[in-house]
């Protein structure tokens, strides 16, 4: 909920801007932490969902680890208070420079995605005389039932070690005792997963893989099951925080770690999505032949998800005391592309130029995907303390 006091303040400031509700962020992260603690689970925040320094600082203060996908994410996470030894590094395309940086910083684990990457890590680790802790990313071939752009756990996806390379990876780890230590198995099957049966399937696959390794005499200390928890974009006020107890409870029920094995998660969206809104003003209302357009001062350059993933975001008018009459609008941005649209047939109170609009649940994969296309203004921010 965006309070009337906040709305009064937003009226005074330039738009578009990202509004972040820090109390809601803290409540969300604490809820996740408490639920994870009940089972002794560890959470790493997936920095790519939102790397705003204020947000990172809040999350590191609450004691989470970080899941990074670039060298600069690792550096920023450390600068904002995350411990290097609780950082994991994923991604199919780690550069030598990034691998060296991660080795120097002494991160918890490289989540390795190919045999060739493992070879490069071994060479650099030897050269630097620093042992690299590695987890093997296994692609469990599970359909996450989500948008195909954010499905990552199928055989046809680029992620994870190809099965025919796995034996060679193990042989390389065995023969590189002074350079590589195998610390875990890593899985991540996609994002915005709302069908939790998918997570049950994941647990069963993780159990099977864990047993496969144990049969070969390898018991890894860490099972990292990734992230992907979906949030409720339809009703951000009704369900502002995911039911983390149910989520972790499901893993507790179906996952069968061996004694002493630690379970790690990498949550991004579910921790930050609902604490952010993109605030915008109506520039013009255009009455078209078949429909009405509400033209905002925010566009795909500030929030790309609707264009990239055909994603739904709840759109609301913040201006108080609007007439009760409502109308459907195609809510669009100013960018010179027809794709630049936040929603079709959005029912809103009769709009006028200057009305304040909130596009909700924009805290994840929003700000981080912004671009300067059309030479847009740098982003502005408003933090609710
Ligand atoms: C993006 C990503 C995550 C986070 O996914 P969410 O859906 O935001 O929770 C976790 N792990 C890896 C490897 C990722 O690429």
């Amino acid at each position: 909920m965006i309070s009337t006091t906040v709305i009064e303040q937003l009226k005074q400031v330039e738009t578009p801007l990202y509004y972040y509700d820090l109390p809601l962020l803290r409540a969300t992260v604490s809820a996740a932490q408490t639920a994870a603690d009940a089972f002794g689970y560890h959470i790493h925040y997936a920095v790519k969902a939102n790397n705003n320094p204020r947000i990172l600082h809040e999350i590191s203060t609450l004691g989470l680890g970080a899941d990074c996908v670039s060298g600069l994410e690792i550096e920023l996470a450390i600068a904002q208070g995350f411990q290097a030894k609780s950082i994991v590094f994923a991604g199919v395309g780690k550069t030598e420079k990034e691998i060296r940086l991660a080795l120097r910083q002494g991160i918890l684990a490289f989540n390795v995605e190919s045999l060739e990457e493992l070879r490069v890590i071994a060479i650099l680790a030897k050269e630097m005389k620093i042992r690299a802790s590695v987890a093997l990313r296994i692609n469990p071939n599970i359909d996450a039932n989500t948008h195909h752009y954010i499905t990552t756990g199928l055989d046809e996806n680029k992620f994870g070690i190809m099965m025919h390379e796995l034996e060679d990876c193990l042989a390389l780890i065995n023969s590189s005792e002074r350079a590589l230590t195998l610390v875990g198995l890593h899985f991540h099957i996609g994002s915005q997963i709302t069908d939790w049966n998918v997570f049950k399937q994941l647990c069963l696959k993780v159990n099977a893989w864990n047993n496969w390794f144990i049969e070969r005499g390898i018991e890894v200390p860490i099972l990292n099951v990734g992230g992907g928890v979906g949030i409720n974009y339809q009703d951000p006020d009704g369900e502002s925080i995911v039911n983390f107890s149910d989520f972790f409870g499901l893993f507790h029920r179906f996952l069968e770690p061996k004694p002493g094995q630690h379970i790690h998660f990498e949550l991004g969206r579910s921790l930050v999505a609902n604490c952010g809104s993109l605030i915008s003003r109506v520039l013009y209302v255009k009455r078209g032949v078949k429909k009405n357009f509400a033209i905002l001062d925010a566009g795909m350059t500030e929030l790309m998800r609707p264009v990239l993933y055909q994603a739904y975001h709840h759109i609301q008018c913040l201006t108080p005391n609007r007439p009760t009459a409502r109308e459907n609008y195609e809510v669009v941005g100013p960018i010179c592309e027809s794709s630049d649209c936040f929603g079709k047939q959005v029912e809103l109170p009769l709009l006028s130029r200057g009305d304040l609009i909130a596009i909700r649940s924009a805290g994840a994969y929003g700000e981080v995907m912004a671009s300067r296309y059309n030479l847009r203004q740098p982003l502005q921010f408003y933090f609710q303390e």
Side-chain angles (χ1 to χ4, degrees):
M1 209 81 82
I2 301 176
S3 71
T4 41
T5 345
V6 171
I7 293 171
E8 282 311 307
Q9 288 170 24
L10 291 175
K11 277 193 198 160
Q12 319 298 324
V13 291
E14 216 184 312
T15 49
L17 70 81
Y18 266 95
Y19 163 78
Y20 289 121
D21 182 341
L22 297 180
L24 178 59
L25 171 68
R26 288 181 207 114
T28 307
V29 176
S30 299
Q33 274 285 65
T34 307
D37 279 349
F39 304 112
Y41 294 163
H42 299 276
I43 308 174
H44 296 254
Y45 168 59
V47 173
K48 76 172 189 285
N50 189 320
N51 61 27
N52 185 294
R54 272 307 294 279
I55 304 253
L56 288 183
H57 184 74
E58 293 289 342
I59 296 177
S60 75
T61 303
L62 292 165
L64 278 73
D67 164 35
C68 298
V69 293
S70 72
L72 286 176
E73 277 194 2
I74 294 174
E75 285 184 317
L76 183 61
I78 291 172
Q80 291 307 323
F82 288 93
Q83 303 288 315
K85 63 177 190 310
S86 64
I87 291 179
V88 293
F89 184 16
V92 294
K94 303 176 187 77
T95 65
E96 288 193 16
K97 186 176 166 188
E98 290 173 319
I99 293 169
R100 282 204 182 88
L101 164 83
L103 283 169
R104 243 186 344 262
Q105 293 289 354
I107 62 164
L108 174 66
F110 289 86
N111 289 335
V112 175
E113 309 227 13
S114 68
L115 175 59
E116 192 160 35
E117 178 194 332
L118 190 63
R119 285 198 188 112
V120 172
I121 293 174
I123 291 168
L124 297 179
K126 239 175 247 164
E127 189 186 294
M128 294 170 69
K129 299 192 172 57
I130 299 172
R131 192 190 286 262
S133 297
V134 296
L136 299 178
R137 180 166 182 177
I138 308 275
N139 188 329
N141 196 23
I142 293 176
D143 190 345
N145 289 332
T146 183
H147 192 275
H148 57 284
Y149 284 4
I150 49 176
T151 294
T152 57
L154 285 174
D155 282 347
E156 67 205 55
N157 300 134
K158 69 182 173 184
F159 299 96
I161 289 168
M162 297 297 152
M163 285 311 112
H164 59 271
E165 292 187 343
L166 193 53
E167 297 281 4
D168 286 347
C169 286
L170 293 179
L172 177 60
I173 291 168
N174 265 334
S175 65
S176 321
E177 245 173 70
R178 261 167 296 145
L180 302 176
T181 310
L182 180 62
V183 296
L185 303 181
H186 175 231
F187 304 82
H188 174 70
I189 54 175
S191 198
Q192 186 53 19
I193 297 168
T194 50
D195 172 5
W196 286 16
N197 187 43
V198 166
F199 291 118
K200 180 187 164 189
Q201 301 308 316
L202 173 63
C203 289
L204 303 182
K205 295 272 187 161
V206 172
N207 294 340
W209 275 108
N210 196 22
N211 288 329
W212 187 90
F213 276 82
I214 287 170
E215 278 158 22
R216 277 156 186 78
I218 306 166
E219 189 171 320
V220 294
I222 298 168
L223 298 175
N224 181 339
V225 295
V229 188
I231 64 134
N232 187 340
Y233 280 98
Q234 268 70 30
D235 189 8
D237 292 322
E239 194 186 341
S240 60
I241 300 180
V242 168
N243 189 332
F244 289 109
S245 298
D246 282 1
F247 174 71
F248 291 118
L250 184 149
F251 281 84
H252 184 66
R253 205 169 140 212
F254 294 107
L255 210 55
E256 295 166 352
K258 306 300 167 196
Q261 278 188 321
H262 297 281
I263 310 298
H264 290 193
F265 290 81
E266 301 167 334
L267 302 184
R269 184 192 315 268
S270 53
L271 298 180
V272 293
N274 270 334
C275 83
S277 293
L278 176 60
I279 309 294
S280 175
R281 276 190 176 79
V282 175
L283 286 176
Y284 303 103
V285 176
K286 189 192 278 199
R287 307 230 161 252
V289 183
K290 290 196 177 140
K291 51 191 170 190
N292 301 318
F293 295 94
I295 301 170
L296 307 186
D297 61 7
M300 60 189 279
T301 40
E302 284 69 44
L303 179 65
M304 171 105 123
R305 297 189 68 259
V307 172
L308 190 58
Y309 311 118
Q310 296 75 51
Y312 173 88
H313 282 264
H314 182 66
I315 300 174
Q316 74 188 92
C317 178
L318 295 181
T319 311
N321 309 319
R322 298 312 294 156
T324 46
R326 295 172 78 84
E327 205 170 32
N328 278 342
Y329 294 92
E330 187 157 323
V331 179
V332 302
I335 307 304
C336 303
E337 289 211 17
S338 296
S339 63
D340 185 27
C341 173
F342 289 114
K344 299 187 163 158
Q345 304 240 344
V346 183
E347 197 192 287
L348 290 164
L350 284 185
L351 293 176
S352 332
R353 175 168 160 78
D355 277 341
L356 270 183
I357 298 287
I359 303 175
R360 304 290 305 276
S361 312
Y365 307 106
E367 180 194 337
V368 282
M369 286 192 183
S371 83
R372 301 293 303 280
Y373 181 42
N374 283 210
L375 196 50
R376 300 282 290 160
Q377 283 207 53
L379 287 175
Q380 322 250 11
F381 301 98
Y382 182 98
F383 293 95
Q384 169 72 18
E385 297 298 329

